[in-house]
């Protein structure tokens, strides 16, 4: 749904601390009003029954509906209205922009067509994907946890897809920056590290690709006691890793980790635990 972006339009910030602004003016809301507006902002239109049951799950149905009516009265009205209240639903006013929705829409667009964004250059890289904030930190309601994980996964998949698209388009520096942003967000996520290696290989930097693979291999072994997937090993092999032999992988005590396959730099099974 398109939202107005005029300077005086209301903007709802949910990535990071809750913040509602009209242009440069910040608006303070009570806790229940913040929770209600956040839920409606994330879902655009919510039934009154779902709203009441989600926000006041421990209350009786009648009491929850009463709390909903009371909280709706505490939201701005008139020319500054943020929601439209119908008999059975509460909807967000079209002029309200929600940063979490912008992030989700952008991430979905990138996942669906990463190459379309990569081929036109740096100006097409959506900056919203590079933000560090998470959804409503400190809020621990079940619905917030679900939405937070949904946005986190969307963003990570979009970063991986964008990095691979940029690498294919020859935008190697941007591809690496994008992939490393995904790595920073979730250091044990293999797909992010594969995107880094793919970017190095696309640029012809096989040594950089092997070095990054070995570093990730060590991290994964030390943290989880597992090996990178065979898919990752095949990616590196296809880039010509046989021409570059890295130093032996060692554990924290300096002992060399044995591999099941020694014919190539990286075997599909990786090192055995020491």
């Amino acid at each position: 749904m398109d939202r107005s972006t005029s300077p005086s339009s209301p903007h709802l910030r949910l990535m990071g601390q809750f913040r509602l602004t009209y242009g440069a003016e910040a608006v303070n809301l009570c806790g229940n009003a913040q929770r209600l507006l956040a839920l409606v902002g994330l879902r655009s239109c919510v039934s009154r029954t779902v709203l009441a049951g989600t926000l006041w799950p421990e209350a009786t149905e009648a009491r929850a509906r009463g709390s909903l009516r009371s909280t709706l009265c505490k939201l701005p009205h008139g020319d500054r209205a943020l929601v439209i209240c119908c008999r059975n639903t509460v909807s967000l006013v079209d002029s309200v922009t929600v940063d979490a929705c912008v992030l989700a829409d952008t991430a979905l667009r990138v996942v669906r067509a990463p190459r379309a964004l990569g081929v036109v250059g740096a100006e097409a890289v959506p900056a919203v994907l590079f933000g560090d904030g998470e959804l409503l930190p400190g809020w621990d309601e079940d619905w917030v946890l679900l939405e937070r994980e949904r946005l986190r996964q969307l963003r990570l998949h979009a970063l991986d897809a964008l990095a691979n698209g940029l690498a294919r388009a020859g935008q190697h520096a941007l591809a690496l920056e994008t992939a490393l942003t995904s790595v920073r967000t979730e250091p044990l996520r293999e797909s992010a590290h594969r995107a880094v290696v793919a970017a190095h290989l696309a640029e012809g930097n096989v040594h950089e690709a092997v070095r990054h693979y070995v570093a990730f291999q060590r991290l994964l072994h030390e943290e989880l006691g597992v090996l990178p997937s065979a898919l990752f090993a095949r990616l590196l092999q296809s880039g010509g890793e046989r021409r570059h032999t890295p130093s032996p992988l060692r554990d924290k005590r300096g002992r060399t980790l044995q591999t099941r396959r020694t014919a190539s730099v990286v075997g599909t099974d990786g090192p055995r635990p020491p």
Side-chain angles (χ1 to χ4, degrees), residues 20-56:
L20 172 65
T21 57
Y22 289 83
E25 178 190 355
V27 178
N28 293 321
L29 297 175
C30 68
N32 280 342
Q34 289 184 13
R35 293 164 64 237
L36 189 155
L37 189 58
L39 182 53
V40 175
L42 287 167
R43 302 185 184 179
S44 295
C45 181
V46 190
S47 74
R48 285 177 175 264
T49 300
V50 170
L51 267 178
T54 301
L55 296 178
W56 295 276

Side-chain angles (χ1 to χ4, degrees), residues 58-93:
E58 304 299 327
T60 64
E61 181 176 352
R63 192 174 186 84
R65 284 183 173 272
S67 296
L68 175 59
R69 289 191 297 269
S70 175
T71 303
L72 285 170
C73 291
K74 297 175 182 178
L75 293 177
H77 292 81
D79 293 339
R80 300 192 122 198
L82 300 167
V83 298
I84 300 172
C85 299
C86 299
R87 180 177 180 181
N88 296 317
T89 61
V90 178
S91 304
L92 195 69
V93 172

Side-chain angles (χ1 to χ4, degrees), residues 191-247:
S191 60
H193 290 274
R194 287 203 306 266
V196 173
V197 167
H200 282 311
L201 292 176
E203 199 171 12
N205 294 325
V206 179
H207 175 71
E208 293 281 2
V210 172
R211 185 175 67 173
H212 188 90
Y213 176 92
V214 171
F216 174 65
Q217 185 184 49
R218 179 180 292 109
L219 174 67
L220 203 61
H221 178 76
E222 292 177 351
E223 294 294 327
L224 301 178
V226 298
L227 308 173
S229 70
L231 174 64
F232 201 172
R234 288 195 298 271
L235 169 67
L236 192 56
Q237 288 175 332
S238 68
E241 89 292 353
R242 297 176 190 271
R243 294 173 297 172
H244 295 259
T245 303
S247 301

Side-chain angles (χ1 to χ4, degrees), residues 101-118:
C101 294
V102 174
L103 171 60
D105 291 344
T106 303
L108 283 171
R109 189 169 70 253
V110 170
V111 169
R112 288 167 179 160
R115 297 191 184 199
L117 290 171

